[in-house]
Amino acid sequence: MTILWVNLAIVFAFAAMARYFSVPVFNGSTNVQPNKIMAAAVAATLVVVSGLRSNIGDTYFYKHAYKVGDFSWAALADQSDRGFRLFQMLLKQLSDDPQILLFATALITNVLIVITLYQYSRLFEMSIFIYIASGAFLVSMNGMRQYLAASIVFAATKALFAGNWKLYMLITVFASLFHQSALVMIPVYFIVRREAWKSSTFLMLLLAIGIVLGYNYFSELFFKAIEDTQYGYYNSFKEGGANFIRVLVTAAPLVVAYMGREKLKEICPYSDIVVNLSILGTVIMIISSQNWIFARLAIYFNLYQLLLIGWLVPVFRKKDHLLMYFLLIALYLIFFIYEHVIVLNINYKSDYLIF
């Protein structure tokens, strides 16, 4: 856990310096451009910590599969998620050490996420801090294949905001080659490109509550629909729902966004899309309170919540900015301790980062 504490401190320091040494821009989406060197240091630190790990979640199984897997062209034709298999095949030409898989995946995932936050978050360091403190960084080391796909879709944010549906679809289909679940973001494109906080917003939240209340019936239909897919085995998972506190943490920024919706729309040119994506993520997290498997889908939406939180402080009165800034930091730091130390008792291990 010491490494994760050090990582949080160093990354936040670099990100804070990136914004401190930022320069104003007049044709960008955030009006300021963080320092590129400091932002690169943020990405490098995240990549090193994630890429040089030897445990966390299903890391062991990815390492084992890389060691014993058949990555021939013949085997590739019979596999799903061929993009990830091809990715491993190429890495095998460089090294048989599975650490190269962890490092390469961490490199692509974290660089894409940092670049997108750099471009679109008003408070770059806040979004980066929440990326770690909310547990998103930890999840990227657990479901790394899905997070790789999610980071690729997240990199298509510019196309999503600009309404360039052809480019967005192309990138999303490419991401699905690494994890098929990325295809869910294709219909999402048409759902979120509308004004936020309309009747459809509250219908989605009511739908989520309805699914929770009638979960037995919903789950029977859902797992029946996916039983012949590569995810059919999820039906046998009986590990309970997502932590209720995590659901509250996911929903809390939306409450603030709703209260300051007029100011948010005024200062953030793409607030409607980001809010709608965050709402969908909250809906999925509410449903996942019944079965944690659904929380896997929330990965795609939680990245946009990082953008939303990066715009929340300016929503408040100027004299309250500093107070709200440190309040957010403090609350997410408490959640970081609660989840990483108390609930999960994370013990980060590495064969390279030894102190």
Side-chain angles (χ1 to χ4, degrees), residues 253-288:
L254 281 175
V255 176
V256 178
Y258 178 74
M259 292 190 297
R261 59 191 180 280
E262 298 301 330
K263 179 66 177 294
L264 183 62
K265 185 176 293 189
E266 183 181 314
I267 63 175
C268 180
Y270 40 82
S271 64
D272 285 333
I273 297 175
V274 174
V275 166
N276 285 332
L277 284 160
S278 298
I279 290 172
L280 284 175
T282 300
V283 166
I284 292 172
M285 285 304 297
I286 292 173
I287 297 172
S288 72

Side-chain angles (χ1 to χ4, degrees), residues 145-206:
R145 183 163 58 92
Q146 187 173 5
Y147 232 99
L148 173 62
S151 69
I152 295 171
V153 175
F154 193 47
T157 294
K158 181 177 182 180
L160 175 62
F161 289 165
N164 187 343
W165 67 270
K166 292 181 180 179
L167 179 59
Y168 180 84
M169 298 302 169
L170 182 64
I171 294 174
T172 302
V173 170
F174 174 71
S176 73
L177 297 176
F178 295 87
H179 203 282
Q180 223 170 31
S181 63
L183 293 175
V184 74
M185 297 303 289
I186 290 180
V188 164
Y189 174 91
F190 302 100
I191 295 172
V192 301
R193 286 186 52 79
R194 61 183 67 192
E195 191 174 355
W197 306 120
K198 293 301 182 182
S199 57
S200 58
T201 298
F202 301 100
L203 283 175
M204 284 192 294
L205 293 173
L206 287 174

Side-chain angles (χ1 to χ4, degrees), residues 83-340:
F84 191 69
R85 300 285 298 186
L86 180 60
F87 180 54
Q88 293 178 92
M89 184 191 300
L90 295 174
L91 291 176
K92 273 280 190 177
Q93 307 305 310
L94 301 176
S95 174
D96 290 326
D97 185 348
Q99 197 71 51
I100 192 174
L101 172 64
L102 302 184
F103 195 88
T105 305
L107 176 66
I108 298 170
T109 300
N110 288 286
V111 166
L112 291 179
I113 290 173
V114 170
I115 287 175
T116 307
L117 294 177
Y118 175 90
Q119 293 175 324
Y120 297 106
S121 176
R122 179 61 183 83
L123 299 179
F124 174 65
E125 79 282 11
M126 177 67 74
S127 293
I128 290 295
F129 182 85
I130 304 303
Y131 174 50
I132 300 173
S134 67
F137 178 59
L138 184 69
V139 174
S140 75
M141 294 186 278
N142 182 2
M144 70 176 198
R145 183 163 58 92
Q146 187 173 5
Y147 232 99
L148 173 62
S151 69
I152 295 171
V153 175
F154 193 47
T157 294
K158 181 177 182 180
L160 175 62
F161 289 165
N164 187 343
W165 67 270
K166 292 181 180 179
L167 179 59
Y168 180 84
M169 298 302 169
L170 182 64
I171 294 174
T172 302
V173 170
F174 174 71
S176 73
L177 297 176
F178 295 87
H179 203 282
Q180 223 170 31
S181 63
L183 293 175
V184 74
M185 297 303 289
I186 290 180
V188 164
Y189 174 91
F190 302 100
I191 295 172
V192 301
R193 286 186 52 79
R194 61 183 67 192
E195 191 174 355
W197 306 120
K198 293 301 182 182
S199 57
S200 58
T201 298
F202 301 100
L203 283 175
M204 284 192 294
L205 293 173
L206 287 174
L207 176 63
I209 295 171
I211 289 175
V212 169
L213 295 176
Y215 178 73
N216 289 336
Y217 178 70
F218 168 77
S219 61
E220 183 179 339
L221 291 177
F222 177 79
F223 288 116
K224 182 70 175 176
I226 67 170
E227 66 179 358
D228 295 325
T229 71
Q230 69 183 99
Y231 307 111
Y233 66 93
Y234 281 152
N235 188 30
S236 62
F237 279 46
K238 307 294 181 184
E239 299 187 21
N243 189 312
F244 182 67
I245 293 179
R246 168 163 284 284
V247 177
L248 290 179
V249 169
T250 302
L254 281 175
V255 176
V256 178
Y258 178 74
M259 292 190 297
R261 59 191 180 280
E262 298 301 330
K263 179 66 177 294
L264 183 62
K265 185 176 293 189
E266 183 181 314
I267 63 175
C268 180
Y270 40 82
S271 64
D272 285 333
I273 297 175
V274 174
V275 166
N276 285 332
L277 284 160
S278 298
I279 290 172
L280 284 175
T282 300
V283 166
I284 292 172
M285 285 304 297
I286 292 173
I287 297 172
S288 72
S289 66
Q290 302 302 300
N291 189 322
W292 71 268
I293 289 300
F294 296 101
R296 287 280 186 161
L297 283 178
I299 287 174
Y300 294 97
F301 304 96
N302 290 345
L303 289 173
Y304 291 96
Q305 190 177 59
L306 301 178
L307 286 180
L308 176 63
I309 295 173
W311 283 91
L312 289 186
V313 171
V315 166
F316 293 89
R317 295 178 302 178
K318 191 170 184 179
K319 66 178 184 178
D320 296 328
H321 283 184
L322 197 60
L323 172 63
M324 298 313 301
Y325 183 94
F326 286 108
L327 182 60
L328 274 173
I329 294 293
L331 289 174
Y332 274 96
L333 184 60
I334 292 171
F335 180 71
F336 177 78
I337 296 170
Y338 168 75
E339 183 176 64
H340 288 64

